[in-house]
Amino acid sequence: MKKLTISDIKEILKIELEKSKRHVQHYYLGTNRFSETDRLKSLLNNQEQEEQFRQNLKQNYRQTLKELNPKVNQILEEQGYGPEPINSLEFKQLREGLIQLKLEQYEQKRILLSGNPNVVENSEGMEPVESVSTSVQLDSVEDNSLSLSVLCKNFIQSRVDRGSTPQTIMDCQNSADLLLEVVGDLPVNTLDHSHGREFVQTLKKLPKNRKKRYPNKTISDLVEMENVE
């Protein structure tokens, strides 16, 4: 079997980068971007996974590296390389490269699902990908006391101005109503990751077709119900 070198590591990471690109595209195309609720759910799930991975690196760094070692060995075996000591410089460099690829993967998913119309690129020159939607940019909000309800209203109006279909507008309104009911009409500048996590966890607990099946139940009522799908 081949002995791992620095040049080999670069080639392996190029291969893994291509795999990462395809994974991001599958994730993006597998999300119903025409439903604001589904798109938002995928976006928040991705955010939750990224935060968990970063938290693991921060608080349990050595354990997280240990859990990544089998993946590194699997990749080496797939590429025809012999076992590499986990304490070798080459092994550590490859593992670090894979960590950076994973973090970049989360970022690419977030950019696509956020509806950013700009070209999505990485350091190796990812092909341009345009999203089907455009989000309201929070950076353009000058008044930091702007409420979430006003921001949602502005977002929906932007869809109307773009000529979105009535069904799309309705989906946007339903998603905005759900977000406001779960999180509350807070000032935009007070929102943080904890609100996103709360929203994701609530979405996971809600039954399908909740408005048709439980028209008189509030979000709180549905969350407290057991064995509801």
Short mmCIF file of all heavy atoms in Angstrom, two decimals, residues 10 40 43 88 102 153 159 216:
data_model
loop_
_atom_site.label_atom_id
_atom_site.label_comp_id
_atom_site.label_asym_id
_atom_site.label_seq_id
_atom_site.Cartn_x
_atom_site.Cartn_y
_atom_site.Cartn_z
N LYS A 10 -3.31 16.55 -0.02
CA LYS A 10 -3.96 17.57 -0.84
C LYS A 10 -4.89 16.93 -1.87
O LYS A 10 -6.00 17.42 -2.10
CB LYS A 10 -2.91 18.43 -1.54
CG LYS A 10 -2.09 19.30 -0.59
CD LYS A 10 -1.06 20.12 -1.35
CE LYS A 10 -0.25 20.99 -0.41
NZ LYS A 10 0.77 21.80 -1.13
N LEU A 40 -37.29 26.67 6.01
CA LEU A 40 -36.84 27.18 7.30
C LEU A 40 -36.45 26.05 8.23
O LEU A 40 -35.47 26.14 8.97
CB LEU A 40 -37.95 28.03 7.92
CG LEU A 40 -37.60 28.77 9.22
CD1 LEU A 40 -36.41 29.69 9.01
CD2 LEU A 40 -38.80 29.56 9.71
N LEU A 43 -33.08 24.82 7.20
CA LEU A 43 -32.08 25.83 7.55
C LEU A 43 -31.73 25.76 9.03
O LEU A 43 -30.56 25.77 9.42
CB LEU A 43 -32.61 27.22 7.20
CG LEU A 43 -31.68 28.41 7.46
CD1 LEU A 43 -30.43 28.31 6.60
CD2 LEU A 43 -32.41 29.71 7.16
N SER A 88 0.74 10.69 13.82
CA SER A 88 1.64 11.19 12.78
C SER A 88 1.15 12.55 12.28
O SER A 88 -0.04 12.87 12.34
CB SER A 88 1.72 10.21 11.61
OG SER A 88 0.50 10.20 10.89
N LYS A 102 -15.99 20.01 6.72
CA LYS A 102 -17.30 19.83 7.36
C LYS A 102 -17.90 21.18 7.75
O LYS A 102 -19.09 21.43 7.54
CB LYS A 102 -17.15 18.94 8.59
CG LYS A 102 -18.48 18.51 9.21
CD LYS A 102 -18.25 17.53 10.34
CE LYS A 102 -19.55 17.00 10.91
NZ LYS A 102 -20.28 16.16 9.94
N LYS A 153 -43.48 41.05 8.06
CA LYS A 153 -44.37 41.77 7.16
C LYS A 153 -43.59 42.30 5.96
O LYS A 153 -44.05 42.22 4.81
CB LYS A 153 -45.05 42.92 7.90
CG LYS A 153 -46.02 43.72 7.05
CD LYS A 153 -46.67 44.83 7.86
CE LYS A 153 -47.63 45.64 7.00
NZ LYS A 153 -48.26 46.74 7.79
N ARG A 159 -41.98 39.47 -1.23
CA ARG A 159 -42.42 38.38 -2.10
C ARG A 159 -43.56 38.83 -3.00
O ARG A 159 -43.64 38.45 -4.17
CB ARG A 159 -42.85 37.18 -1.25
CG ARG A 159 -41.69 36.47 -0.55
CD ARG A 159 -40.67 36.04 -1.58
NE ARG A 159 -39.53 35.40 -0.98
CZ ARG A 159 -39.41 34.08 -0.81
NH1 ARG A 159 -40.37 33.28 -1.18
NH2 ARG A 159 -38.32 33.58 -0.28
N ASN A 216 -58.42 23.82 16.65
CA ASN A 216 -58.66 24.61 17.87
C ASN A 216 -57.53 24.50 18.89
O ASN A 216 -57.64 25.02 20.00
CB ASN A 216 -59.97 24.16 18.52
CG ASN A 216 -61.17 24.37 17.61
OD1 ASN A 216 -61.27 25.38 16.92
ND2 ASN A 216 -62.09 23.40 17.60
#
